[in-house]
């Protein structure tokens, strides 16, 4: 490792020595037949030791039999989940048809005035329809309402637990604001100026830029990274190109060569075989022989443009803190006001950074690495086993393993790195599927490691219950089950009640808390609440895929970029932060402006709306339930179902965000 500016050998005081890379064995067909063989009896006169060895061998055989049986049971459960997921659209359609039939029956009964009658009174009425309706009421009362009410109460309990967790996070954020808590570098805390000495006083930093077929954004991103305010001899840029489009690769390589001619230490690497996607790309780059000369590695995705003083505001937080393994900056978005979809995404991500990441970083020294705009101590990466391709959330994977090794994380809420938000629903849907299936894959793989780790009990509790189960599994489960399944069912089985405060007041309160970090988005609070419930279908589907390792859990689709980071965006952000930051020369914006002045042929491609069948089916189901709620005079339930049904309809017809080409 290169010597750092604080006069000590590079490398942190990581807790524990790095172990070997774990090997994951996937059994393709768990349904083997298992034969249990009884042990042979010990022959007379045999030594006692032989009998003990036989008993030990029998114990091992029984253990293996039990493990194989457990694996077979897990395989059957996975098969059932696969079948359920494959038939989910069919189940929704059947549910929709039944709801329409029941609505017709309920309307007819309402016109007869039977909705106010008891079952015994209806039995006295002559006619087949009256008898059938009385039977339906008895079926509801005796068999459908009790289990539905139990499921309702269970989901309400989960909803309240998650709401309390959200409230505690918000209180933690308010406390941080009130007390002015923020990470401070050691030099700044001692009243000394920041690092302004010669190149020998700066640590060696490796900058990695993984990208794949991202033609729209590579130029400004490479330009921003090459203009980082850091001694040129002390940082190296790796452009890690996984593009399979020859034209895009040629353009990226040409851009790298241009900056090489200007004296920037920048290297172009291209993989022909994209094994492991982003994790494989980063792992391959870290295997280069010259990496041993660097102490820190910074990662920027293809659409991220850091400010010139990014390294000077992040790297000093490692000084004098040998147990700090990661310093993470927050994201800002150049296209947050582009359309309704980007505005709603901005609300979610502002809460994620301002509240979740900041609170967990301040009080727990742990949070999920965001995959980009972060600085890693290379020793922490190596100590944690390096990058692994076993899930689609390699960033969360390395963060969890580093946390189990005892490394601490620092989150800087005041250091921003601009990037883009997906502008089409199709791109956002693919991104969210990966973000919600990957954590469940990771939870399956690291659960035993968490239990066996040497970290404290409360840290294990935070990882297992809060970080994984509550925020990654329970949240999408109850959001979909409670508002998209149970609520419409209670309209047709009114004996099972869902209180109005669950439908309206608590969700509205949580939405207000979520939107506080982005106060300019308050006019969109109602669309935000409805859209979050609409996205619960995608998130629930992704969670099931990751939990049971279904095929779609391993899908990796690069999020489509639009290249909104134009000259105006960059200059505007520089002017906004000019009082706080020292900005170097801007990237090659002339070339970018010239490129934008010539419309591409791709822009002439016809755009169209996609049709999302699950969302449409759920829309009609919720609207049918809204019509049924009118017969029960449930006002709040009616309005919620009506607006939620319209929200599903808008999304199902792809009327939110930009259309795809």
């Amino acid at each position: 490792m290169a010597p750092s500016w604080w006069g000590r050998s590079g490398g942190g005081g990581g807790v524990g020595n790095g172990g070997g890379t774990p090997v994951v064995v996937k059994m393709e067909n768990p349904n083997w037949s298992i034969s249990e063989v009884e042990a042979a009896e010990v022959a007379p006169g045999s030594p006692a030791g032989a009998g003990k060895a036989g008993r030990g061998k029998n114990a091992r055989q029984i253990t293996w039999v039990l493990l194989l049986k457990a694996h077979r049971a897990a395989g059957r459960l996975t098969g059932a989940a696969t079948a359920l997921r494959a038939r989910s659209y069919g189940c929704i359609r059947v549910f929709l048809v039944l709801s329409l039939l029941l609505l017709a029956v309920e309307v007819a009964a309402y016109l007869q005035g039977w909705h106010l009658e008891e079952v015994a009174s209806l039995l006295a009425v002559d006619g087949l329809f009256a008898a059938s309706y009385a039977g339906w009421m008895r079926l509801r009362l005796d068999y459908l309402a009790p289990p539905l009410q139990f499921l309702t109460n269970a989901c309400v309990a989960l909803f309240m637990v998650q709401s309390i967790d959200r409230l505690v996070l918000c209180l933690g954020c308010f406390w941080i604001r009130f007390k002015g808590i923020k990470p401070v570098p050691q030099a700044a805390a001692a009243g000394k100026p920041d690092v302004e000495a010669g190149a020998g006083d700066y640590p060696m930093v490796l900058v990695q830029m993984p990208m794949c077929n991202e033609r729209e954004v590579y130029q400004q991103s490479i330009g921003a990274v090459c203009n980082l305010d850091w001694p040129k001899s002390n940082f190296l840029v790796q452009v890690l190109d996984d593009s399979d489009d020859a034209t895009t690769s040629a353009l990226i390589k040409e851009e790298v060569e241009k900056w090489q001619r200007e004296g920037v230490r920048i290297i172009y690497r291209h993989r022909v075989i994209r094994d492991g996607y982003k994790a494989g790309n980063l792992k391959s780059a870290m295997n280069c022989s010259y990496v041993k000369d660097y102490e820190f590695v910074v990662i920027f995705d293809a659409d991220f443009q850091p400010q010139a003083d990014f390294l000077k505001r992040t790297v000093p937080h490692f000084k004098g803190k040998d147990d700090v393994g990661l310093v993470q900056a927050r994201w800002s978005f150049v296209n947050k006001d582009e359309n309704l979809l980007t505005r709603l995404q901005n609300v979610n991500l502002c809460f994620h950074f301002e509240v979740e990441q900041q609170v967990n970083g301040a009080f727990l020294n742990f949070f999920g690495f965001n995959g980009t705009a972060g600085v890693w101590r290379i020793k922490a990466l190596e100590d944690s086993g390096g990058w692994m391709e076993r899930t689609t959330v390699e960033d969360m994977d390395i963060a969890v393993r580093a946390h189990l090794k005892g490394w601490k994380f620092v989150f800087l809420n005041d250091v921003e790195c601009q990037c883009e938000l997906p502008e089409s629903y199709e791109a956002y849907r693919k991104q969210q599927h990966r973000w919600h299936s990957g954590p469940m894959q990771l939870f399956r793989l690291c659960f035993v490691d968490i239990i066996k780790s040497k970290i404290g009990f409360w840290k294990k509790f935070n990882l297992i219950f809060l970080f994984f189960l509550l925020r990654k599994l329970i949240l999408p489960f109850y959001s979909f089950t409670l508002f998209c399944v149970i609520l419409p069912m209670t309209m047709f089985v009114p004996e099972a009640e869902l209180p109005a405060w669950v439908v309206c007041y608590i969700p509205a309160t949580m939405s207000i808390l979520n939107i506080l970090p982005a106060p300019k988005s308050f006019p969109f609070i109602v669309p935000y609440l409805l859209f979050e419930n609409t996205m619960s279908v995608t998130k629930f589907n992704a969670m099931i895929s990751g939990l049971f390792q279904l095929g779609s859990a391993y899908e990796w689709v690069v999020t489509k970029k639009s290249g909104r980071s134009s000259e105006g965006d960059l200059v505007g952000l520089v002017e906004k932060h000019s009082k706080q930051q020292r900005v170097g020369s801007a990237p090659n914006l002339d070339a970018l402006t010239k490129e934008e002045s010539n419309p591409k042929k791709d822009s002439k491609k016809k755009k169209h709306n996609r049709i999302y069948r699950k969302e449409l089916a759920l829309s009609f189901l919720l609207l049918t339930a809204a019509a049924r709620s009118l017969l029960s005079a449930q006002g709040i339930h009616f309005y919620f179902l009506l607006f939620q049904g319209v929200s599903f309809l808008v999304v199902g017809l792809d009327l939110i965000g930009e259309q795809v080409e």
Side-chain angles (χ1 to χ4, degrees):
M1 295 293 181
S4 61
W5 68 78
W6 48 86
R8 294 186 57 181
S9 174
V15 179
N17 296 325
T21 302
V23 178
V24 180
V25 180
K26 182 180 179 182
M27 299 183 181
E28 298 295 340
N29 184 9
N31 296 319
W32 294 296
S33 60
I34 301 174
S35 59
E36 300 182 16
V37 182
E38 295 182 0
E41 295 182 1
V42 180
S46 60
K52 293 180 179 179
R55 286 193 295 271
K57 185 176 181 180
N58 291 342
R60 288 194 297 271
Q61 289 176 344
I62 292 173
T63 302
W64 277 109
V65 167
L66 293 176
L67 288 174
L68 287 174
K69 285 185 174 181
H71 192 274
R72 184 168 62 178
R76 289 175 176 173
L77 185 60
T78 301
T82 304
L84 177 62
R85 179 179 172 275
R87 295 177 174 86
S88 58
Y89 175 61
C91 294
I92 295 174
R93 287 195 303 175
V94 171
F95 196 12
L96 174 60
V97 172
L98 287 176
S99 66
L100 290 173
L101 292 176
L102 290 176
L103 177 62
V105 171
E106 294 292 344
V107 169
Y110 182 83
L111 295 177
Q112 295 290 335
W114 293 344
H115 62 290
L116 300 176
E117 300 289 340
E118 298 291 338
V119 176
S121 302
L122 284 177
L123 292 176
V125 180
D126 295 331
L128 179 61
F129 181 64
S132 300
Y133 189 72
W136 162 241
M137 291 182 65
R138 177 168 293 176
L139 177 66
R140 283 178 357 200
L141 184 62
D142 296 338
Y143 298 101
L144 297 182
L148 181 58
Q149 188 65 59
F150 174 80
L151 183 60
T152 301
N153 295 338
C155 287
V156 170
L158 295 176
F159 178 46
M160 293 305 299
V161 171
Q162 197 275 333
S163 299
I164 293 173
D165 173 64
R166 187 63 54 99
L167 180 61
V168 170
L169 287 174
C170 291
L171 292 176
C173 183
F174 292 148
W175 182 258
I176 290 174
R177 285 282 191 92
F178 178 71
K179 290 292 186 179
I181 300 173
K182 60 180 297 186
V184 180
Q186 189 181 71
K192 300 178 182 179
D194 201 356
V195 181
E196 293 292 348
D201 296 315
Y202 289 79
M204 299 292 286
V205 178
L206 180 67
V207 182
Q208 295 180 332
M209 300 185 66
M211 55 183 64
C212 178
N213 296 328
E214 290 164 297
R215 182 174 180 173
E216 299 82 5
V217 293
Y218 75 91
Q219 190 174 32
Q220 56 265 37
S221 298
I222 293 177
V225 169
C226 290
N227 278 278
L228 288 171
D229 187 10
W230 201 256
K232 301 300 181 184
S233 60
N234 286 48
F235 84 99
L236 172 69
V237 180
Q238 285 182 321
V239 177
L240 310 176
D241 182 24
D242 261 5
S243 303
D244 55 10
D245 178 65
T247 303
T248 302
S249 296
L251 290 172
I252 296 174
K253 187 175 182 180
E254 180 182 354
E255 183 71 14
V256 170
E257 292 173 348
K258 183 190 75 174
W259 286 101
Q260 286 176 340
R261 291 191 295 268
E262 295 189 13
V264 177
R265 298 178 67 237
I266 182 171
I267 296 175
Y268 174 84
R269 285 176 54 88
H270 178 70
R271 296 194 310 161
V272 179
I273 302 176
R274 294 175 54 206
D275 288 340
Y277 301 106
K278 181 180 177 181
N281 199 359
L282 295 172
K283 182 178 180 180
S284 174
M286 292 298 293
N287 289 331
C288 295
S289 59
Y290 52 79
V291 173
K292 67 179 183 297
D293 299 326
Y294 294 85
E295 189 173 357
F296 303 103
V297 58
V298 191
I299 301 171
F300 295 111
D301 282 352
D303 60 318
F304 279 72
Q305 297 96 42
Q307 290 297 307
D309 62 352
F310 180 89
L311 293 179
K312 285 191 173 182
R313 300 183 68 190
T314 54
V315 177
H317 287 272
F318 291 96
K319 182 178 180 180
K321 304 172 184 176
D322 292 341
D323 56 350
V324 172
L326 167 67
V327 174
Q328 172 74 57
R330 71 172 294 168
W331 303 352
S332 60
F333 311 105
V334 298
N335 61 338
K336 62 182 179 181
D337 298 324
E338 189 64 27
N339 54 47
L340 179 60
L341 178 62
T342 58
R343 290 178 184 272
L344 300 180
Q345 291 179 69
N346 180 60
V347 173
N348 254 343
L349 289 171
C350 282
F351 182 86
H352 169 69
F353 287 109
E354 185 87 14
V355 179
E356 293 177 339
Q357 297 291 75
Q358 184 174 211
V359 171
N360 288 322
F363 296 107
L364 300 176
N365 296 121
F366 168 73
F367 47 82
F369 174 45
N370 293 116
T372 179
V375 185
W376 276 96
R377 191 190 297 272
I378 293 180
K379 182 174 176 59
L381 287 177
E382 295 172 346
D383 183 47
S384 307
W387 297 104
M388 293 184 182
E389 309 97 324
R390 57 183 183 172
T391 71
T392 57
V393 283
E394 75 293 326
D395 44 11
M396 185 181 294
D397 189 357
I398 189 65
V400 170
R401 285 185 280 119
H403 182 55
L404 296 181
K405 288 289 185 178
W407 293 96
K408 295 182 179 180
F409 301 165
V410 174
F411 179 75
L412 304 179
N413 192 54
D414 58 342
V415 180
E416 297 182 0
C417 188
Q418 66 172 354
C419 61
E420 288 189 12
L421 293 167
E423 294 184 8
S424 69
Y425 177 70
E426 177 67 14
Y428 180 63
R429 183 168 169 265
K430 293 288 186 182
Q431 181 196 69
Q432 292 300 303
H433 186 279
R434 176 163 54 87
W435 285 5
H436 286 81
S437 65
M440 289 297 97
Q441 299 175 45
L442 180 60
F443 181 62
R444 288 173 56 108
L445 295 171
C446 69
F447 177 75
V448 176
D449 294 332
I450 296 174
I451 297 297
K452 292 181 178 180
S453 66
K454 297 180 180 180
I455 61 176
F457 170 79
W458 289 112
K459 290 185 176 180
K460 292 180 181 180
F461 175 82
N462 173 67
L463 264 180
I464 294 175
F465 181 72
L466 296 179
F467 186 76
F468 278 114
L469 291 182
L470 185 60
R471 298 166 189 164
K472 303 297 188 298
L473 188 150
I474 292 177
L475 177 58
F477 170 77
Y478 88 73
S479 296
F480 174 74
T481 306
L482 188 61
F483 296 109
C484 300
V485 178
I486 292 179
L487 178 58
M489 287 182 67
T490 56
M491 297 300 101
F492 295 100
V493 186
E495 291 80 5
E497 297 181 359
L498 186 61
W501 57 268
V502 176
V503 178
C504 179
Y505 305 126
I506 299 297
T509 303
M510 292 299 104
S511 297
I512 292 174
L513 293 178
N514 285 7
I515 216 166
L516 284 178
K520 293 183 179 180
S521 301
F522 260 102
F524 303 96
I525 186 170
V526 174
Y528 170 74
L529 172 62
L530 298 174
F531 182 69
E532 281 300 290
N533 290 334
T534 305
M535 284 302 300
S536 66
V537 180
T538 298
K539 296 176 181 179
F540 177 80
N541 182 65
M543 182 268 291
I544 294 296
S545 299
L547 188 62
F548 295 102
Q549 291 185 312
L550 306 184
S552 62
Y554 298 94
E555 292 178 354
W556 182 287
V557 180
V558 178
T559 305
K560 179 68 176 177
K561 312 296 191 308
S562 59
R564 296 291 182 183
S565 303
S566 61
E567 179 178 3
D569 297 321
L570 290 172
V571 173
L573 194 65
V574 167
E575 293 176 351
K576 179 180 177 181
H577 298 279
S578 59
K579 296 182 180 179
Q580 304 175 3
Q581 302 182 3
R582 175 181 173 182
V583 180
S585 58
N588 187 5
L589 299 176
D590 294 335
L592 180 62
T593 307
K594 182 178 179 181
E595 181 178 341
E596 290 180 347
S597 63
N598 299 322
K600 298 180 181 178
K601 295 181 180 180
D602 294 343
S603 62
K604 298 181 180 179
K605 291 182 179 180
K606 185 178 180 180
K607 296 184 178 181
H608 64 277
N609 294 63
R610 290 175 178 262
I611 300 297
Y612 300 98
R613 297 185 301 171
K614 289 182 182 178
E615 284 79 359
L616 283 179
L618 281 169
S619 168
F620 297 138
L621 173 62
L622 292 173
L623 292 175
T624 304
R628 171 63 181 86
S629 70
L630 288 176
L631 304 180
S632 303
Q634 300 188 40
I636 292 180
H637 296 71
F638 165 74
Y639 289 112
F640 182 87
L641 288 167
L642 175 64
F643 292 134
Q644 192 64 69
V646 172
S647 175
F648 270 101
L649 182 64
V650 170
V651 172
L653 296 175
D654 196 16
L655 299 178
I656 185 171
E658 297 293 329
Q659 278 65 55
V660 297
E661 296 178 353

